[in-house]
Amino acid sequence: MNSSGGGRLDQVVANSHREREDREKGYRAKALKMYPWVCGRCGRTFDHKNVRELTVHHRDHNHDHNPPDGSNWELLCVYCHDNEHQRLTEAMSGHGGGQGDGPGLGATHNPFAALGDLLKGQGGGNRGD
């Protein structure tokens, strides 16, 4: 039972990966046709030799949200793309410092960062030192 169940799981995982790759190929091809081959963060330009290093970033971080006008996409080099996701991870965990991040990096904003302090100060009316 264990080997047949594992085989089924492997098949489901493989199908999921294949479907994701097919979906990514579709929006990647569209984004590369719509936008200039320039990283939206660092400004690095790309050509046919190195375009594989240019990725499609989903601004809302939802890879299933692919409007036909491309409004949820931006092209980022692999380094800036990794950095953007790292910043989001840090912001969500509360460990992101935010100093020196520069303009236009909205994904690092955490609107609930001070919520705990606000809730603690609810009873006494004191919001901080």
Side-chain angles (χ1 to χ4, degrees):
M1 180 174 153
N2 222 5
S3 62
S4 65
R8 173 76 175 130
L9 178 60
D10 291 342
Q11 182 181 5
V12 168
V13 169
N15 287 342
S16 174
H17 285 248
R18 194 175 315 106
E19 289 170 5
R20 184 190 73 218
E21 289 170 4
D22 290 344
R23 185 174 63 244
E24 287 174 356
K25 286 178 189 174
Y27 68 72
R28 177 176 165 73
K30 288 178 187 176
L32 290 174
K33 288 178 185 176
M34 295 173 102
Y35 296 112
W37 292 2
V38 176
C39 175
R41 292 286 192 264
C42 69
R44 180 178 166 200
T45 59
F46 293 82
D47 58 26
H48 289 283
K49 294 177 188 174
N50 62 356
V51 73
R52 69 185 174 281
E53 297 174 24
L54 190 60
T55 65
V56 179
H57 172 65
H58 289 79
R59 296 172 193 252
D60 69 358
H61 299 275
N62 178 355
H63 292 184
D64 293 322
H65 181 213
N66 295 300
D69 66 352
S71 59
N72 190 37
W73 305 328
E74 65 180 327
L75 297 179
L76 299 178
C77 71
V78 293
Y79 306 108
C80 290
H81 197 181
D82 286 347
N83 183 263
E84 177 65 21
H85 283 275
Q86 182 63 37
R87 289 172 186 257
L88 176 68
T89 301
E90 290 174 359
M92 290 177 70
S93 70
H95 297 312
Q99 286 85 6
D101 287 342
L105 298 176
T108 61
H109 175 67
N110 184 353
F112 303 110
L115 184 58
D117 292 336
L118 288 172
L119 291 173
K120 286 178 191 173
Q122 208 173 25
N126 187 0
R127 288 188 52 196
D129 297 312

